[in-house]
Structures are given as structure tokens and as C-alpha cells.
Amino acid sequence: MKNRIVFVCVFLLVILAACNSNTDQSSEVDVKSLIHDYSTDQISATSASVDSSQLVVEKDNKEVNYDLPDDEFYVSIAPFINETHPCTFHSLTGCQGELVNTPFEVYIEDSNGNVIIDDSIESFDNGFIDLWLPRDQEFKAIITLDDKQVESTISTFKDDPTCITTMQLI
């Protein structure tokens, strides 16, 4: 009987520890797809934001952290004409850009002149364009909309912003 009680107690402790865990879950999910799904409102949470190293999701009063890839840096850009907001780390559940569902010409090259992106990319319902760039580099970014254009430098070093809301099209 004593062994059975010990077994039940250990079993319950293991179950409670597993249920209460808020450790890194990135090995179990594709974090890039998860970020895309939050960006496009395919899934929802109380809050979801991305800093330079993690996706942080709060849902059902639990916080779960997902590590980003070691070799890629997430950046979300909201080009604008008239209205913007200050931002450092992108809130997938809160940030709203001005130009929703808008096709932009996006050109990004690294400091050696290698073209990383040269494509037409449409912003999401939140007005942002999500990009994955190589880590620990600086890039020249040019975004064009019709006859308006903006050029800026984006960097992907530790603690760099993941939310770019300063690119005004003129």
C-alpha cells in the first residue's frame, strides 16, 4: 500500500510539473509558422510579441517562450505615408500599420551588396511586412509603393528592434 501511495504521489508531481511548465517550446513547433499565424490572425492569444531572440506568447494566463532560429532574425516593417506609432519589439497581437493589404516592392541587400530580397510583398491586415533576415548584419532596405519610396538601414544584432515603424514613403 505504501508503494502505491508513493507511486501516485510521484505520478501526480510529474503531471503537475508538465502542466505548469512555461519553458521553451521551440523544439516542438515551427516558430516561423507560429509567428506567421499570429501575424495573419489565424490563431489568437492575449498577447504575442517578438524580440530579437524569442516569441513570447501569453494565452490562458500562461506565458510560453519560443526561441527564434540561431541564424535568422525576424523583423516586421510597417511602411507608412501619414500615420505610424513608436515600436521596438513587434506585437503580433497589437501593432497596427497604416497601409493594410498593400503590395510593396521590397529590396534588401547586405553590406557586401548581395541581394537578400527583391520581390513584391503584400502587407498583412495589420499593415506589416514580415521578413526573416540573416543575423548579425546590416542591410540596406528600399521599399517602394507606386511613386513613393523609402530607404533605410536595418540591422539584425542582439537586441535590435523587430518592429520598424519609421519608414515613411515620400
Side-chain angles (χ1 to χ4, degrees), residues 4-77:
R4 185 178 283 178
I5 291 172
V6 170
F7 174 77
V8 169
C9 289
V10 169
F11 178 75
L12 289 174
L13 284 173
V14 169
I15 296 295
L16 288 173
C19 291
N20 193 29
S21 176
N22 71 344
T23 60
D24 170 34
Q25 302 290 316
S26 59
S27 62
E28 299 172 18
V29 298
D30 177 1
V31 71
K32 290 170 74 172
S33 294
L34 193 57
I35 287 172
H36 180 268
D37 290 348
Y38 281 114
S39 288
T40 57
D41 291 328
Q42 294 179 41
I43 55 176
S44 62
T46 304
S47 70
S49 61
V50 183
D51 64 23
S52 63
S53 63
Q54 291 187 327
L55 164 64
V56 179
V57 177
E58 184 181 330
K59 189 173 187 176
D60 301 326
N61 294 321
K62 291 184 182 179
E63 183 178 289
V64 181
N65 300 314
Y66 301 90
D67 287 336
L68 299 184
D70 291 334
D71 59 343
E72 292 180 282
F73 189 96
Y74 169 83
V75 63
S76 196
I77 302 171

Side-chain angles (χ1 to χ4, degrees), residues 49-122:
S49 61
V50 183
D51 64 23
S52 63
S53 63
Q54 291 187 327
L55 164 64
V56 179
V57 177
E58 184 181 330
K59 189 173 187 176
D60 301 326
N61 294 321
K62 291 184 182 179
E63 183 178 289
V64 181
N65 300 314
Y66 301 90
D67 287 336
L68 299 184
D70 291 334
D71 59 343
E72 292 180 282
F73 189 96
Y74 169 83
V75 63
S76 196
I77 302 171
F80 73 99
I81 296 171
N82 297 310
E83 296 180 24
T84 191
H85 65 278
C87 190
T88 303
F89 298 120
H90 187 54
S91 171
L92 303 168
T93 54
C95 285
Q96 182 62 52
E98 174 186 14
L99 301 170
V100 302
N101 306 110
T102 303
F104 297 96
E105 293 303 315
V106 179
Y107 177 86
I108 298 181
E109 70 178 38
D110 67 15
S111 58
N112 295 322
N114 299 310
V115 177
I116 306 300
I117 298 172
D118 186 4
D119 205 357
S120 180
I121 302 175
E122 186 170 319

Side-chain angles (χ1 to χ4, degrees), residues 77 106-119 131-134 137-143 151-156 167:
I77 302 171
V106 179
Y107 177 86
I108 298 181
E109 70 178 38
D110 67 15
S111 58
N112 295 322
N114 299 310
V115 177
I116 306 300
I117 298 172
D118 186 4
D119 205 357
L131 304 173
W132 288 91
L133 299 172
Q137 295 185 38
E138 280 194 358
F139 301 91
K140 176 171 74 172
I142 301 171
I143 298 178
E151 183 175 326
S152 184
T153 300
I154 296 172
S155 59
T156 59
M167 295 183 73

